[in-house]
């Protein structure tokens, strides 16, 4: 069967770190932990890509020599886990999406363009006033 694995705690991977075939989720999890040299208390998820009913399984590294894994529960967010333990999240980490600021580039570009147009129009009007003044003096 085909499996994929990625770390979920303490460092959360955004993409699948390891993909391959194995007889079961446990053997694939053991292979992933060994190849990636995961530290004790690192948690990761293994997903069955064939869809044969094993689905998603969470594991935690209990020992490293030799690697021993134990089942783990899914961590929904570091903030919720730290808050339930009465601790502050490390380094202000938060799994929620950051709030993006609006893009001001089009507004700034438009203001710059309007300023250039106003300057050119003012210079054109002043130049025309000078030309009309000299024409009047010349024709008199």
């Amino acid at each position: 069967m085909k499996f994929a694995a990625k770390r979920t705690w303490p460092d959360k991977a955004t993409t699948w770190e390891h993909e391959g075939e194995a007889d079961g989720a446990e053997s694939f999890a053991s292979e992933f932990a060994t190849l990636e040299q995961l530290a004790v208390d690192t948690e990761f998820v293994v997903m069955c890509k064939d869809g044969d009913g094993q689905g998603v399984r969470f594991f935690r590294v209990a020992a490293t020599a030799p690697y021993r894994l134990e089942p783990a529960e899914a961590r929904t967010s570091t903030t919720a886990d730290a808050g339930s333990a009465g601790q502050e999240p490390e380094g202000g980490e938060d799994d929620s999406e950051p709030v993006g600021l609006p893009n001001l580039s089009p507004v700034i570009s438009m203001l710059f363009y309007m300023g250039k147009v106003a300057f050119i129009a003012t210079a054109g009007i002043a130049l025309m006033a000078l030309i009309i003044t000299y024409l009047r003096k010349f024709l008199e």
Side-chain angles (χ1 to χ4, degrees):
M1 290 188 286
K2 293 183 180 181
F3 292 95
K6 67 179 177 178
R7 284 175 255 207
T8 58
W9 191 84
D11 299 321
K12 187 173 185 177
T14 56
T15 61
W16 294 105
E17 296 178 87
H18 185 65
E19 296 182 30
E21 294 188 18
D23 295 332
E26 291 83 11
S27 62
F28 187 78
S30 179
E31 176 186 331
F32 173 65
T34 305
L35 288 175
E36 295 292 326
Q37 297 292 308
L38 299 179
V40 175
D41 290 335
T42 300
E43 294 182 10
F44 61 96
V45 62
V46 173
M47 181 185 80
C48 181
K49 295 180 85 177
D50 289 337
D52 289 343
Q54 288 196 13
V56 177
R57 305 242 340 247
F58 292 87
F59 294 95
R60 184 174 71 81
V61 178
T64 58
Y67 273 95
R68 186 169 51 90
L69 305 175
E70 56 187 35
E73 292 184 20
R75 289 185 184 253
T76 53
S77 78
T78 4
T79 307
D81 292 337
S84 64
Q87 302 170 353
E88 290 291 321
E90 291 184 40
E93 292 178 11
D94 190 9
D95 286 343
S96 64
E97 290 292 320
V99 176
L101 294 175
N103 189 0
L104 295 177
S105 178
V107 175
I108 294 170
S109 178
M110 181 193 64
L111 291 174
F112 184 66
Y113 174 76
M114 289 175 66
K116 287 193 302 187
V117 169
F119 177 76
I120 292 171
T122 305
I125 291 171
L127 183 63
M128 288 177 67
L130 284 174
I131 292 172
I132 290 173
T133 304
Y134 285 124
L135 277 175
R136 279 191 177 167
K137 287 185 181 180
F138 179 72
L139 293 175
E140 288 180 357

